[in-house]
Amino acid sequence: MRHAGLILCALAFAAAGVWRAVTLYRRAKLISALYLLAAYIREQVVRYAKEQKEICQRFQNERLEKAGFLPLLRAESEKRPWGALDRSFTRFFETTDPGKEVKDACLAFAASFGMTGMAEQAASCETFDRCMREIARREEKEIWNRIRLSVGTGFAAGCGFMILFW
Amino acid sequence: MDTKAYLIEHLPERFQESVRRFSRQKEWMEIRMRTGAPLAASATDGNYLIGKYGILRKGDAYHSCGARDLSQTVSALCEGSGYRYFDTLSGGFLTLDCGIRLGIACERQSEIDRVPEQLSSLNIRLPGMIEDAADPFLREMNGRELSSALVLSPPGGGKTTFLRALAKKLSRGAFGRPGLRVAVVDERRELFPAVLTRDNCDVLSGFSKGEGIRRAVRLFSPQVLICDEIGGEEDVAAIKEAGGSGVILFASCHASSAKEALSKPGIRALTEAGVFPCFLILTPVPGPRFSVEIHLEAAG
């Protein structure tokens, strides 16, 4: 009975490591989705000069949808089109923490959306896109190390626990 | 929703109620926002400052405009899509689809698009939608042959409103006169913004005035050609060309009298060439409703 408890305990530590790894993976994917949003905005602005409301209403991405960002964006742009992206990011980050770097870049990009001319808007989208790609690339590169580290640490902690109390 | 209600809804929230109260007191056509100052409005009977409770009286509280209020208003009126208007924004003005016009003064312009930044003053004008604004003139011309005329008035004197009404009435036919083929050269989309019905007019927007006039004459064979605010050398040359093609021309120019208009070299050249045999001088009449007195004067 005691041994079973200790094994379960070790497995729980390992599971915590796996959960942390999954969170990291999701975050990396979320960041990837954000640069898709920037690319979409750029295309809609430069090629079609579409209104902000239409852009916000029509963008589709499964990951951002599941994360709850797109429903927020649609609701905000329906209510008031100007500043919709800004308000949506602000509300989204109340419940999701993608890290300070991502958060700052998103809020700066959103605050300038619709306030500039076309060339500057395109440049702003490109900068945001580049920034997100860079972060996503960095995160994805590190993700396997982090997964190994998280699972390994969890498992090692569990094993240590077992050896200590066996 | 009418344009006035639309405009009020797009002002920063803390100003909305004050402007609604002011609207119940006065019939206004323009609102000005200046950094560090209360809102100001031009009504049919004078200029007013707007306080928290409508017209600002001595000792009343008021909301002062900040630079952020100005840029927020521009952004809201563009529906958060300023990039759609960058071609005109860089020129310091904006005509929205609903006909609202904005004049923008700023401390500097952005480096790439020349879009105004650090706004210091904003003039928001409602479009004049007075269908019968040209009726006194058309009534006077009843039974007479229509001839080209230059419409004169000081800024905000109702030239655009008059020309818009004239274009509609002439294209539809009015006062016993059959409908004519009317072409409107509307460089800044002020005469016929997207929401206004154009009746039987061909509206050419998005060209320079000179180019628009040439295209209108060449492609639309108009009987009447209407354009707003002429003055540049290119405009004058194109109007001379059109005037010599048998088209009846109506154009407008900032001036409160024939003498003032003739002091402008371009206008003098057009008058001397016989393009505009008469001036139509509009004088705003103070009162609760927007109205103008129309005075016809022979040129030269």
Side-chain angles (χ1 to χ4, degrees):
Chain A
M1 195 66 182
R2 190 177 164 213
H3 292 168
L6 285 172
I7 289 167
L8 275 176
C9 207
L11 285 176
F13 272 102
V18 171
W19 181 80
R20 166 85 183 134
V22 169
T23 311
L24 290 170
Y25 178 77
R26 280 195 184 143
R27 203 179 85 156
K29 287 294 165 195
L30 188 72
I31 296 167
S32 314
L34 286 173
Y35 69 65
L36 294 178
L37 172 67
Y40 179 78
I41 290 176
R42 189 189 177 284
E43 191 195 17
Q44 297 299 308
V45 166
V46 174
R47 190 175 286 185
Y48 308 109
K50 286 267 170 69
E51 282 195 356
Q52 184 171 157
K53 182 179 176 181
E54 204 178 334
I55 295 174
C56 294
Q57 294 282 332
R58 292 180 76 163
F59 179 68
Q60 288 179 345
N61 180 280
E62 207 184 328
R63 203 158 289 274
L64 287 175
E65 187 76 48
K66 275 185 188 159
F69 176 72
L70 289 187
L72 265 178
L73 186 63
R74 282 196 294 269
E76 287 292 345
S77 65
E78 189 60 51
K79 213 173 8 172
R80 265 188 304 149
W82 57 98
L85 195 61
D86 198 10
R87 292 193 305 277
S88 307
F89 271 132
T90 309
R91 283 182 59 189
F92 181 60
F93 293 148
E94 283 169 6
T95 53
T96 311
D97 183 18
K100 191 180 179 311
E101 198 181 4
V102 175
K103 208 166 154 178
D104 288 350
C106 288
L107 290 176
F109 169 66
S112 72
F113 183 34
M115 302 285 279
T116 57
M118 200 168 274
E120 281 177 67
Q121 193 63 68
S124 154
C125 288
E126 275 162 22
T127 310
F128 180 69
D129 184 329
R130 253 199 318 274
C131 174
M132 287 298 115
R133 272 177 206 271
E134 176 58 35
I135 298 172
R137 199 176 53 83
R138 211 191 312 139
E139 295 260 332
E140 272 170 20
K141 203 170 148 190
E142 282 180 20
I143 201 152
W144 290 111
N145 294 336
R146 286 190 192 178
I147 288 173
R148 269 201 298 273
L149 189 73
S150 298
V151 176
T153 312
F155 197 70
C159 288
F161 200 69
M162 276 178 70
I163 291 163
L164 214 62
F165 295 101
W166 195 262
Chain B
M1 192 192 302
D2 70 78
T3 41
K4 195 178 277 183
Y6 177 85
L7 168 56
I8 294 173
E9 235 178 51
H10 286 70
L11 290 173
E13 261 170 48
R14 64 202 177 95
F15 293 111
Q16 291 182 7
E17 195 45 43
S18 315
V19 179
R20 276 194 199 102
R21 286 182 176 143
F22 179 74
S23 299
R24 288 195 280 271
Q25 297 167 322
K26 293 285 170 192
E27 188 64 35
W28 54 272
M29 304 89 65
E30 283 183 20
I31 283 217
R32 278 162 213 274
M33 298 174 85
R34 303 173 179 115
T35 46
L39 283 183
S42 295
T44 47
D45 61 348
N47 300 317
Y48 297 90
L49 292 177
I50 301 177
K52 279 188 182 171
Y53 309 104
I55 298 173
L56 181 66
R57 300 183 202 283
K58 208 175 173 187
D60 276 359
Y62 64 85
H63 293 299
S64 180
C65 300
R68 200 179 149 74
D69 293 318
L70 272 68
S71 52
Q72 194 188 322
T73 305
V74 175
S75 170
L77 285 167
C78 295
E79 299 288 346
S81 315
Y83 45 85
R84 296 184 73 214
Y85 302 93
F86 78 103
D87 51 339
T88 65
L89 266 179
S90 57
F93 72 94
L94 189 61
T95 307
L96 303 173
D97 289 349
C98 62
I100 290 174
R101 289 178 284 170
L102 269 88
I104 303 163
C106 61
E107 305 282 329
R108 63 187 174 94
Q109 289 182 300
S110 67
E111 276 175 24
I112 306 173
D113 286 322
R114 316 293 301 155
V115 165
E117 288 181 342
Q118 289 181 353
L119 310 188
S120 55
S121 190
L122 214 59
N123 179 23
I124 313 169
R125 298 175 75 177
L126 291 174
M129 309 274 193
I130 301 162
E131 293 277 326
D132 57 3
D135 284 6
F137 167 68
L138 290 171
R139 208 173 289 123
E140 197 170 318
M141 295 303 286
N142 200 1
R144 287 158 62 182
E145 199 187 335
L146 204 62
S147 68
S148 301
L150 186 63
V151 183
L152 309 178
S153 94
K159 292 181 294 292
T160 307
T161 308
F162 174 83
L163 287 177
R164 188 182 298 136
L166 185 70
K168 286 183 161 209
K169 285 278 163 86
L170 288 178
S171 69
R172 248 185 250 159
F175 296 96
R177 199 181 293 278
L180 299 169
R181 292 190 304 274
V182 178
V184 180
V185 178
D186 192 9
E187 184 183 2
R188 305 205 294 195
R189 299 181 181 88
E190 291 181 339
L191 278 164
F192 283 97
V195 292
L196 285 189
T197 52
R198 294 160 178 212
D199 290 84
N200 297 324
C201 306
D202 298 307
V203 181
L204 289 93
S205 301
F207 304 108
S208 69
K209 233 164 271 158
E211 177 63 20
I213 291 168
R214 285 193 189 97
R215 282 189 191 224
V217 174
R218 209 181 313 136
L219 307 173
F220 290 89
S221 59
Q223 290 168 296
V224 177
L225 188 95
I226 291 177
C227 65
D228 208 2
E229 290 175 20
I230 56 163
E233 275 176 32
E234 198 207 354
D235 310 347
V236 170
I239 285 176
K240 253 190 196 170
E241 229 174 276
S245 357
V247 183
I248 300 166
L249 288 159
F250 288 97
S252 69
C253 164
H254 287 299
S256 54
S257 66
K259 194 178 159 194
E260 257 182 45
L262 287 169
S263 69
K264 301 178 183 192
I267 304 297
R268 196 178 31 237
L270 287 174
T271 314
E272 280 169 2
V275 177
F276 292 115
C278 63
F279 293 131
L280 269 167
I281 303 161
L282 309 184
T283 317
V285 182
R289 266 184 58 86
F290 176 80
S291 67
V292 288
E293 214 173 74
I294 300 170
H295 176 64
L296 196 62
E297 196 175 307

